Amino acid sequence: MSKPIKGSVCLNHPNVAAVARCATCSKPICGECAQVHDGSTFCSKLCYDNAMRTGMMVDDVQRRKGMANFRRKIAIIINLLILAAIIYAGYHFYTRNKSKVDRKLQETKQAVQQKSSEAADTIRKSTVERESKYKRDRESALQ
Ligand SMILES: [Zn+2]
Ligand SMILES: [Zn+2]
């Protein structure tokens, strides 16, 4: 810090070589003007205050950004949990009502089979009737 900065003079004392630059405004300053706070050199109390305020703002922004990330992660986890719950509930519903669902399917299948066999019967009967009527007609025509 006491090593002079080549070619630079203190902005407050033009005859004195600068030994440091202000951490906030980069102004060259001499050893007399330099104010060391928290390991950094500043030209004035104002620059130190600004640095503190900026530092706090940066901290605050980062903290808020961190909170946003945290909240986004929580939201993703909650969504996944909801999805898992829905899948689990659906699976659970099916396993619990498996016999009921299967019986319903069986009943529907039987009903369809019955209906279709009835329909087939009707078609067969009407065909037989038509055939016998045709036969009767032919026989009566031949007579
Ligand atoms: Zn400064
Ligand atoms: Zn100075």
Side-chain angles (χ1 to χ4, degrees):
M1 192 148 328
S2 54
K3 210 170 105 193
I5 300 172
K6 228 187 206 168
S8 283
V9 291
C10 175
L11 281 199
N12 303 324
H13 307 97
N15 298 324
V16 187
V19 294
R21 282 178 184 278
C22 171
T24 302
C25 67
S26 319
K27 206 193 283 183
I29 36 177
C30 71
E32 201 189 312
C33 295
Q35 300 181 15
V36 179
H37 299 280
D38 303 329
S40 296
T41 312
F42 301 95
C43 67
S44 60
K45 179 83 170 57
L46 186 71
C47 274
Y48 169 66
D49 287 346
N50 280 343
M52 285 302 104
R53 212 171 306 138
T54 312
M56 268 174 348
M57 261 153 57
V58 168
D59 274 359
D60 200 41
V61 166
Q62 273 174 345
R63 198 166 49 231
R64 255 182 265 173
K65 214 187 272 179
M67 273 304 283
N69 275 338
F70 181 69
R71 249 177 267 155
R72 205 174 308 134
K73 269 181 207 157
I74 290 288
I76 289 168
I77 289 168
I78 286 171
N79 282 342
L80 283 176
L81 281 179
I82 289 169
L83 194 67
I86 289 168
I87 291 167
Y88 179 75
Y91 176 73
H92 209 68
F93 177 81
Y94 177 67
T95 34
R96 214 173 9 179
N97 298 283
K98 197 178 185 298
S99 54
K100 219 187 277 176
V101 171
D102 286 351
R103 197 164 55 231
K104 201 86 200 146
L105 274 174
Q106 200 63 36
E107 278 172 14
T108 311
K109 211 161 95 183
Q110 275 171 0
V112 167
Q113 274 173 351
Q114 205 183 330
K115 279 274 180 293
S116 58
S117 73
E118 272 173 20
D121 271 0
T122 312
I123 290 165
R124 208 178 308 126
K125 254 181 240 159
S126 69
T127 312
V128 168
E129 267 166 28
R130 217 182 305 128
E131 271 176 4
S132 54
K133 190 174 181 294
Y134 176 70
K135 218 186 268 177
R136 269 206 307 277
D137 285 353
R138 267 178 69 105
E139 275 165 8
S140 61
L142 283 172
Q143 277 166 3

